[in-house]
Structure formats: structure tokens, C-alpha cells
Amino acid sequence: MDILFAQIQADLRSNDALRQSGALLQALQESAAGRDISVIAKSAVEEIVSAPASAVCKKLAFDLIRSTRLTSDLWEVVCAGIRTDFDFPDPEVTAAAVSILAAIPSYRLGKLITDCNKEISNCFDSPSHNLRFSITETLGCILARDDLVTLCENNVNLLDRVSNWWNRIGQNMLDRSDAVSKVAFESVGRLFLEFDSKRMSRLAGDKLVDSENSLAIRSNWVSSMVDFVWKKRNALMARSLILPVESFRATVFPLAYAIKAVASGAIEVIGKLSKNQGNKGVNTLNAGNAERLVGVSDLVSHFVPFLSSLDPALIFEVGINMLCLADVPGGKPEWASLSIIAILTLWDRQEFSSARESIVRSVVTNLHLLDLHMQVSLFKRLLLMVRNLRAESDRMHAIACICRTALCVDLFAKESVRRGQKPLAGTDIASLFEDVRIKDDLNSATSKSLFREELVASLVESCFQLSLPLPEQKGSGTESRVIGALAYGTGYGALNWTEPALEVVEVCRPCVKWDCDGRTYAIDCYLKLLVRLCHIYDTRGGVKRVKDGASQDQILNETRLQKLQHELVKDLREVNTPRVVARMVWAISEHIDLEGLDPLLADDPEDPLNIIVANIHKVLFNIDVSATVTNRCQDVQAALLCAQRLGSRNARAGQLLTKELEEFRTNALADSVNKHQCKFILQRIKYASIHQESRWSGVSEARGDYPFSHHKFTVQFYEAAAAQDRKLEGLVHKAISELWRPDPSELTILLTKGVDSSFLKVPPSAYSLTGSSDPCYIEAYHLTDSNYGRITLHLKVLNLTELELNRVDVRVGLTGALYFMDGSPQAVRQLHSLVSQDPVYSSVTVGVSHFERCALWVQVLYYPFYGSRAPGDYEAEYAEEDPQIMRQKGSVRTTLGEPVILRCQPYKIPLTDLLLPHKISPVEYFRLWASLPAIVEYTGTYTYEGSGFKATAAQQYGASPFLSGLKSLSSKPFHKVCSHILRTVAGFQVSSAVFSCLNCFSAIRGGRKAAKTWFGGFVGMMIFGSSEVSRNVDLGDETTTMLCKFVVRASDASIAKEIEADPQGWLDDLTDGGVEYMPEDDVKEASAERLRISLERIALLKAAQPRLKTPKSDEDEEEEEEDKKEKKENGEENGKPKGPSTLSKLTAEEVEHRALQAAVLQEWHMLCKERQAKAT
């Protein structure tokens, strides 16, 4: 290999262009094979890039540079070669030099394009088509990136030049060369796409924070391009028609985006964000509605012929953009139907198979644009298409769209019938299941398909979303049509959503018989909706009558629900999932009309009550206690509660259940808790049967709750069925929330909230890595991107010397889970010409592989003697020199001199920055808490002002010092689940205030909060705190010490191990240094010391002698004799009362306990009053 590399380097040093090109091709082959060619790259830079060479060799050398890593010194040589090639007579060489601009590192790009701005502008006027193509393509990639926007924000001259370059790129869309015109269309489309998605910037590794100015800069560019396309739309459409067919696709998106921005009014938002008072697009903003609609119609007419093209990619591109145009105000359903038919044709022809997910997503997202007939006709077909999608997120999104559209169509059709219109066939929910395969899958008990579970769960969750208030829509767009249709369908009342929900529970009834290998999420969703409907219609009281004020629709719905309940009772015998039996018994028995049952069928086995009691017996006497099949503890509790409520409501049910409970009490399957519970239930049933008129109605009140979940109590976290249920729940909830409650667009938020918007983030506070007396002052802050698993360290270097430092090298190393994107062991940033007191900025982006404590180590090398050149300078003209002399001139290096090395403090990444907030209910949190296997416990302390002037002043301004050490938790990436605080004050015989609190925090994907690691790990944390007054009192202000017990549980042992390795570091990350770690030995010693002091005080009290009695006078003795006589007259003999006495017989401990209870109640009353006062 060394011989091969030596031969390649020898060929590169030759003057023969053929040998050089062959050597470069061979080097590219070695690079493609995965070999390290950094030595050859260095030779290529020195012999080809920095010296005269042919255009082919230049292009091959630049390709070689892109395939390897260069040092900072070599990048300087490359930049010098690019500047030289800009003045080269051959435009092909200049085009090759222009193409490498996109590969220049961000930290070096700004200075290069500033120095070469005149040469770059001249390239647009070149007669060479290849040079105009190269400059348009390269600048189209560079100018849309975040890093260049930031450079323009800090350099006004560069901003003007870049704005002019965008105008030249826009004009090149009408260039006489087809290749230049195509690449100009692509560049403008890339600007529009980057404005919406930031995709290119993320691919380039940038993680920059949008500031107000950077957003205005990008908005100004987009606004000017939209204005140009709108004004020149006819010329641009004509130019696109004479392009080759394979190039027409590049013209579709820029035209559609710009025309839609004008027609939908988005250009007005962009114009306001750009803050450009002299906006050239004033004519665009003043365009009338008629002109805008004509512009959209012209573009649609321009696109329609290409829907019958033979190129699948072109058909898809045109169809997608026509769907966007159909959504503007005044858009026609025909435009959407033409596009959807063309896109579905691709599916039928089995073409464009790589975009199956995109085809389905585009169709289901735009279903609302079609008329009702076409929507109904697409339901069955779309379900079959969605069923075959591989990506789960795309499949769930498509199912959610179909379910919402089905509900929307059903509501719209029913409301149209109410208003006298002709009913439309196939608009009911049952039409979703008309296909034979879907229907068979739904009715099959043993099918292993997950698709049916996803469909049922999405339908039910969509019904729950429909029951909530619809989101407010102020503008037009995709969601406004859907919300309008839903509002039209629910116009008569808030309960109109129950009609499609009733159809859902009727159609999905077979799901209770499914055998899903232990999974219960879909069945739980179904039963939850059933319980909600039964509670709303109050099915326990039977079907209402007209004379009771019920409408015909209500009577019909209650009759259907009652029939459904009886059918579900019969289905209890066919349930294949043991855990579902108890849940079905609960859902049915809570709301079934027992009084309406036929008493003549009391002995009939088919009687609903007999079936329910038989299934309660089945649950109570179930001997299969395996955790993977059933959860006996939960099921028995549910069965006992059902027995209690059924027995209290109905006499015959009480008689049947009394027998079952008596039998269960004497059975070995009942533990002591169950036996006591059965005794209590039997007493209540007996009381309710005897006192029919005076029984408490609250015993049998139904609240519409479904207290079950697919999460299990007694199994480990990684049980397969529960894990699949959690995964399905997450996918369904995410798809439903994104569809029904989408986040407002970034443009809308920025326009309404301005600088206060969350999209305009304020950079975090920087940390100093060097001392104030060091020659180079370094401070840094970091930004995280959890979506891509990246962390960007931003550095500010300040020259504190009085000299100008010609060169400063900043080296960054890594420890922990960090890695560089290119795989290099360290990053080097070369900074040049650092003027005294003038800050220079630089950044480094790294990836994070797993949850682990990590740090970045910065080292600064500056060269005070940099700049002396080696002897033998050549001053001849470039074009007249011998090539050998020119290579020697290019290889001359400046002398670096001895560097001064400055080692900085490590920049540590907090572990909390690798967490994400995770929303979870308190019930689900506690269900998950017991199943998290890894556990860590540690103690922390902090002090606060317990009383005195400082504490009083803090409380007056609403800043209670009580949780001062934990207040920074609110800014950490945790979701607050719940928080409970119990606060007591000094009571009877209590020498100090007693203060206790309970806060719980959770971390999943750690008062209770939830979060998730970037890598899907689960963490849970609880904090228990107690306080005591410190002994040291300073000027009347008592400092109170809070002792916090942190309990952390995690789903992975590696997470707990990482936290346990450095408890103080974890506490610093959580509380910003507000809590100090206390070892367990110290905690035990402090507890023992407090116990010893308390025992000493008790011993002193016991040893204390009573006070000596003073001699009594004659008058005192006479008074005592009179008191004794009065006691005898009141019925007391020998000091013992004969009857009831008002004297207290409580012990000292009981008195203290009652005093503390009174203090707690008083404190709670005061807190409630304060809360009400704040609310008013």
C-alpha cells in the first residue's frame, strides 16, 4: 500500500495532466474502499489545488477533498487556491473552484466569500453556461443555510451582497440555458423548503438558535423571491414548458409555493416578519382576491397535463403541489380529485413503490378537500392501502386521518338529513368495515393482526377528541375545512358526537372476544367509550319516555345502548383474554338496567343478571394467577366492588351475590383482606335489602369512570404484552394529538407573540473556561438538539493582550458518550488575526451515543511569533513563471514559532440535558413506578430562612423560602405529574416547627414530574423532605435545614449507575447547585445525635423534682376544708366521682397528636384562603 501511495504522490507531482488525473482517480477508488488517503489529499492540495492545473484535475482534486478530512492548515491552502482560481482565464477551472465552496467549513466560509464577493458576482455575468450553472447551484446550497444567515446578521455588507445574489439566482430561472434555469428553480425551491423545515441546515450539522434578526433576514429573502415569482409567473410557466421533460419537475414546487403564499395570504405574514419597510412586494400584498384566484387557476391549468406523464416522480410531484393549491381559499374539489386519482394510479401500477408511505400520507391528509361521494368511495380502499404500510408512524397517522374523516362525514351527512337533504349512502361508520378482509379480521377472535387493534383504538380516541371543544381556527388552511365540517355536524348540541360514537361501539363490539396475546389496550379503549356513553345516557335508569321529556333521537340511542349491553353480556362467555372478563363485568354491571329485567326469567341461565353473577364467580375463583395471563389482585377487587354495587341496587342481585361472597370468604383463595372486605360488603347488602327506603343513594352512584389500564401492577416493566400496549398507546396518542390538536405554525406564533415566542430562543448563559488574567479569555455555552442527538458548543474567544494574535488554534476533545460527526478524535478551529479586545466566535457540533455523563475539553494554542516567512520568496508574475517554480512558491510555509498552550476547564454537559419531558398521568406514573427495576437512593440538604425578617419579606412577595433549594426544578426538562405538600406549624408541646413535603418526579423516553432520555430510557424520582430549625440563629433570623430524600428508579441499570456514580453532580444538574449531597453515614450519625439529645431531654424532665410546698396560713387551711365539704355535697367521696365527669382522660401523646391535627387543618384552611384570594 505504501508503494501505491508513493506512486500516486509521484504522479501528482508530475506536470502531466493525464498522469495527475489518473492518480486522482486511483486515489478516489482507494477512498471508496474505505482506506485512509489523508496523505494523498495533502499532496493533492499542494500540487493541484494551490498550483495551476487543468479543469479536470481540479474537479477530481476537489472530489478527493470532499471524501476525506483536512487539517486547518490545509483548508487555508485550499482557500488560497480558490481565490487564485477565481482569476484564472479558463472558466472551467473557475467553475470547479466555485463548486468546492459548499464544502468549506462554516468557520472559514464567511471570510472567504467576503474576500471574493466581487469575483462571485462576476460569475453570474460570465458567458460560460457551465460557470453560471456552477455558481447558481453552489450559492443555492450555501445561502439557505443557518450558518450563513448568522454571518449576515453580524455583517451588513455581506447581507447586501447575499440579497443581491438571491436576486441574480431568481433571474437565472429565465436563463437561456436549460441547465442554468433548472438549477435556479431548484435553488429557489431549496430556499422555500429551508424556510419551512430547516432540513439542509440540520443535515449540515448546524444547530443554531433563531434570533429575531436572523428570522427577519430569511423572511426578507423568501418575500423577495415570492414577489419575483408572482410577478413573472407567466414567463416562468412558459420557460418551464420548454425545458426538457426530465427537468420540468424542478419547476413545480417553487411555482406552487410562491403562488399559494400569495393566494393564501401567507406572504403578508412573511412580509411582517421580514421587517422591511421598503418591501418591493407591495404590489403582491395589494393583489385582489380575483387576481389571486386567477393566478392559482392558471397554475393548475399549467400542471394538469403533466398528471398523465409517464414519469412517476413527476406525477407525484405535480399531484402533491396541486393538492396544496386546492386548499387555498377558492380552491375547487376537482383539483384535489384529479391529483388524488393520479397519485392512486401510481399505487395501482405498482410504480414509485419507494414512496408508498408518501402516497398514502398525501391522500389521507387531503381527504377533506374531496366531496362526500369521493371520500366515502375511498374509505375501504385506503384502509387496505394503510394496512400494508411498513412504517408504524405513517400507518398510525393515516389511520387517524381516515377515522377523523369518517366521523366528519358521518356528522355532516346526519346534519344534512336533519336539514331536509337527501341521505347519502355509505356515510356511516360501518362503511369502514364493509370490505370482506377488514370485516373478517374484526370478527376473528384468533387473528394475530395488529392493524385491527390500531384501527379500533384510533376510532375510539377520535371519538373522545370529538367530545372535546373543537380548536379555534382563525385563518384558512388545511384544518379550517375539517373544523368547519365538524362544527356543522355538531351544531345542534354538545352531545351530537355521541351518535357516531354509538355507531363505533356497535361496530367494534367483536373486539371484546379477541385473543391478543395478553394485549388489552384496544379493548380498554372500547370499554372506556362504552362506559362514557352509558353514563351520559344514564342507561341504569332504563329507556326514557316522551312524557319524561326525552326526544325521539334520545329514545332511539338509549334503546340501541340497552340492546348493546345485553349482547355484551352474552359475549362474556366468549371472551378469550382472562383480564378482560373483570373489566367487562365492571363496564356492564355499573350501568345496566336491573329493574327492567324480566322477573319471570330469574331462573333462566340466559338472564343477564345470572350471567353477570356467574362471571363474578369465575373471577373470584380463578386459580390461574400467572402474571402474564391475569392480574388476580386487581380483578378480585373489581369483582368485589361490582358485587357491592349490584347487591345494593337490586334485591335479587343481593341474594345471588350474598351466596357467592359467603362461599368466597370460606375459600382458601381469599386472603385476609378479601375476607374482611367480603364481610363489609355483606353488611352493606344486608342493610340495603332491609332498609329499601332509607338506603344511601351514594352507595350505588355511577360516575362514568373506567378505572382500568393496560399497564399491569404485578409484572416487570419488560413484559412483552404490556410493552406492546405502551408502544401502541404512544403511537395512537401521538397521531391523534398531531391531527386533532396540531401545534400552530411557526409563522403564526411569531406573528402573534413576536419576540416572546418560544421559537425565538434566548441563548443560555455562558460559562468561563479560563481565568480573567489569561492571555486568551474563553467562555462557552451549549445548545442541544434531541431530535438528532446533537450538542453544539459555542465558544467566544477574546484576545486580552495588547498585541494582535495572527493565529490561534482551538482544540476540542471529548469524553463520555460524545463523538464527532466525521469520526475524528478531536476538532481544531484555526482563528486568524485576533485583534485585542475583539471577540471571535466559533462552534463545534458533536453527537451523543447514549445516556452518560460527558464533557468537552478545550485547549487553546496561540502563536505570538507567527508570521515570519521562510527565505526564497518569488515575486514573479503568476502567468509568466515556470510551473515548477510556482509549485515551490505554493509550498512555502510561514513559520509558526513556539506556541503558548492554555488548558481550559472542562465544559461538562448536565445529565438533565439528555432528558425530555414526558406527559403522564399520576395514575399511570404510579403504575409504572413499581415496575422500574433499577433503584438509587441518596440524601441532599439545603438551608432556608425559616422565620424572621427575611422569611417574612419573602413571603410578602409570594416567594416562600420553603422550597428555595428545589425551585430550579421547574426549569428542567421534566413534566410535572403531581405535587403534594403537607405543612404543619408549632403545636402543643412542640418546641420547633414540623415541616414535611412530598414531591414526586418521573423521567420516561426524571412535585411528580416526568421525562424521558433521548434514547428511550425510563427514570422515576421521588423526593421526601423534612426540616428542622438550625441551632445557629443570626440576628433573629432562624435558618432551617431541609433534609431531602431522593429515590430514583430507572428502566435500565446503566441509567441508575450513571446517576449513582456522582450524586453531587446529579444534584447540581437538578437544582443548579442548590442542594448538597449528604452521605448515608452522615445521615445516620445526625439521626443518632438527634435521638440522643431527645433522650437526654426526656431524662432531665423525668429526673426533675417537684416544687417545695410553702407553709400554709390559717386562712388557706380553712379554704381547703370548705372545698372538701363542697366536693362531698357534689357527690364525690375519697376523690372519686360517682357519675359522668367532664375531665379529660387523654394521655399526653394523644393530646399532642390532636393538637398537631388541629394545626394541620388550620394551616390547610389558611392556604385555601390564600389561594382563593390570589384567584380573585
Side-chain angles (χ1 to χ4, degrees), residues 167 216 219-228 231 266-286:
N167 293 332
S219 302
N220 190 25
W221 295 343
V222 173
S223 178
S224 63
M225 285 295 99
V226 169
D227 180 64
F228 176 82
K231 291 179 179 179
I267 184 61
E268 302 175 8
V269 179
I270 299 174
K272 292 179 181 180
L273 290 175
S274 65
K275 299 183 179 181
N276 190 356
Q277 301 297 332
N279 193 358
K280 299 179 182 179
V282 65
N283 295 330
T284 302
L285 299 178
N286 294 333

Side-chain angles (χ1 to χ4, degrees), residues 646-940:
L646 278 175
S648 302
R649 286 170 50 197
N650 185 268
R652 185 163 70 92
Q655 295 174 2
L656 296 174
L657 291 170
T658 299
K659 178 182 176 182
E660 297 292 339
L661 293 176
E662 290 287 358
E663 184 181 355
F664 180 64
R665 282 182 64 191
T666 59
N667 194 285
L669 292 174
D671 56 19
S672 59
V673 176
N674 297 144
K675 292 178 181 179
H676 286 292
Q677 195 170 3
C678 289
K679 180 181 179 181
F680 173 72
I681 294 173
L682 288 171
Q683 291 175 352
R684 301 188 77 159
I685 293 176
K686 181 179 179 182
Y687 179 85
S689 62
I690 296 175
H691 305 83
Q692 289 288 335
E693 302 299 330
S694 61
R695 62 181 179 179
W696 181 40
S697 60
V699 172
S700 57
E701 180 183 0
R703 300 182 180 180
D705 295 332
Y706 181 74
F708 299 97
S709 170
H710 57 277
H711 295 295
K712 298 182 180 180
F713 282 121
T714 59
V715 298
Q716 286 298 318
F717 184 78
Y718 292 109
E719 200 274 322
Q724 288 180 332
D725 274 335
R726 284 194 301 271
K727 181 180 179 181
L728 179 59
E729 179 189 28
L731 291 171
V732 171
H733 283 182
K734 182 179 179 181
I736 293 293
S737 61
E738 288 178 353
L739 188 64
W740 285 83
R741 300 290 186 271
D743 295 330
S745 66
E746 182 175 342
L747 295 179
T748 304
I749 293 179
L750 292 173
L751 183 63
T752 55
K753 297 186 178 181
V755 184
D756 297 333
S757 169
S758 60
F759 289 98
L760 297 178
K761 301 176 183 177
V762 178
S765 57
Y767 297 93
S768 299
L769 302 182
T770 60
S772 58
S773 61
D774 291 330
C776 283
Y777 175 74
I778 310 290
E779 66 178 19
Y781 67 91
H782 75 281
L783 300 172
T784 59
D785 186 359
S786 58
N787 294 325
Y788 294 88
R790 294 174 181 171
I791 295 177
T792 300
L793 180 69
H794 293 269
L795 299 168
K796 183 174 79 171
V797 183
L798 186 62
N799 178 15
L800 297 182
T801 65
E802 297 180 357
L803 304 175
E804 178 180 352
L805 299 178
N806 293 324
R807 173 172 170 176
V808 174
D809 290 351
V810 180
R811 298 180 180 178
V812 180
L814 306 176
T815 56
L818 303 179
Y819 64 92
F820 288 107
M821 300 299 175
D822 56 1
S824 58
Q826 68 175 2
V828 180
R829 296 288 182 267
Q830 282 190 0
L831 309 177
H832 295 269
S833 303
L834 268 71
V835 183
S836 178
Q837 305 298 326
D838 189 12
V840 178
Y841 299 91
S842 182
S843 64
V844 177
T845 300
V846 297
V848 186
S849 60
H850 56 277
F851 185 82
E852 183 184 356
R853 192 173 297 278
C854 45
L856 295 96
W857 299 74
V858 181
Q859 187 183 68
V860 179
L861 287 79
Y862 69 95
Y863 302 84
F865 306 106
Y866 174 81
S868 60
R869 184 175 292 273
D873 293 347
Y874 296 91
E875 303 295 340
E877 292 297 329
Y878 186 87
E880 300 176 359
E881 287 289 349
D882 182 75
Q884 182 68 25
I885 297 178
M886 291 307 303
R887 280 195 298 272
Q888 293 177 2
K889 178 181 178 180
S891 62
V892 172
R893 294 288 177 271
T894 55
T895 304
L896 296 178
E898 290 294 329
V900 177
I901 301 176
L902 179 63
R903 292 180 176 85
C904 307
Q905 296 179 2
Y907 188 92
K908 298 180 180 179
I909 305 297
L911 274 178
T912 52
D913 284 7
L914 304 182
L915 299 175
L916 293 174
H918 178 73
K919 294 183 179 180
I920 187 173
S921 66
V923 175
E924 301 299 332
Y925 168 78
F926 282 111
R927 284 179 173 145
L928 285 176
W929 173 262
S931 63
L932 298 175
I935 184 168
V936 180
E937 296 183 6
Y938 54 92
T939 305

